[in-house]
Amino acid sequence: MSASPSSNDTLRRLAEVIDNRRQGDPDKSYVARLFHKGTDAILKKIGEEATETVMAAKDGDRQKIVYEVADLWFHSMIALAQFGLTPADVLAELERREGLSGLEEFAARKAQQREQGEAQ
């Protein structure tokens, strides 16, 4: 499920734009404004965009679904930047999961959580 070079480039370029605007003037940049408001504001926006994505999907409007998912991805990338992460980190995780059964992955995570709980 490796993303095409052009999609990797698009995500990388967008991450660079977000990073460049992060310290900008909150009165002139939406991205700077979100960073200025802090983590809670960023996470609230992701929640709003996730809800709008669900509503668009329930309506079955394909174009609106794409539009809302783009908003969700964009705001998720802002959250990644807030925590010092990049789209490459997410792509690496997706690549790690490639070829794994979703059920097997879920079971492995549950086992790991149990082991960590017992170790504490």
Side-chain angles (χ1 to χ4, degrees):
M1 174 184 196
S2 184
S4 72
S6 63
S7 61
N8 285 341
D9 289 345
T10 299
L11 293 173
R12 181 189 47 74
R13 285 191 312 270
L14 181 54
E16 288 173 359
V17 168
I18 289 169
D19 192 51
N20 289 336
R21 293 184 182 168
R22 182 178 190 153
Q23 301 301 324
D25 182 347
D27 292 329
K28 296 181 180 176
S29 168
Y30 173 74
V31 171
R33 186 177 309 144
L34 270 178
F35 280 116
H36 181 73
K37 289 180 177 180
T39 301
D40 285 348
I42 294 167
L43 299 178
K44 181 180 176 188
K45 193 62 184 171
I46 290 172
E48 291 172 10
E49 297 303 341
T51 300
E52 291 172 5
T53 299
V54 169
M55 291 170 26
K58 287 186 76 60
D59 291 344
D61 183 335
R62 293 169 53 89
Q63 186 55 42
K64 192 170 181 185
I65 293 167
V66 169
Y67 181 87
E68 296 301 344
V69 169
D71 281 352
L72 179 57
W73 285 14
F74 174 77
H75 289 91
S76 294
M77 289 179 65
I78 292 173
L80 287 172
Q82 178 74 353
F83 292 98
L85 299 165
T86 68
D89 296 313
V90 176
L91 292 172
E93 175 61 14
L94 290 172
E95 289 171 3
R96 184 192 69 77
R97 295 181 187 185
E98 189 174 5
L100 294 177
S101 159
L103 295 176
E104 290 171 359
E105 172 71 12
F106 180 73
R109 273 189 273 157
K110 287 299 237 185
Q112 184 180 24
Q113 288 171 349
R114 277 194 306 273
E115 289 172 9
Q116 289 174 344
E118 292 170 5
Q120 294 178 353

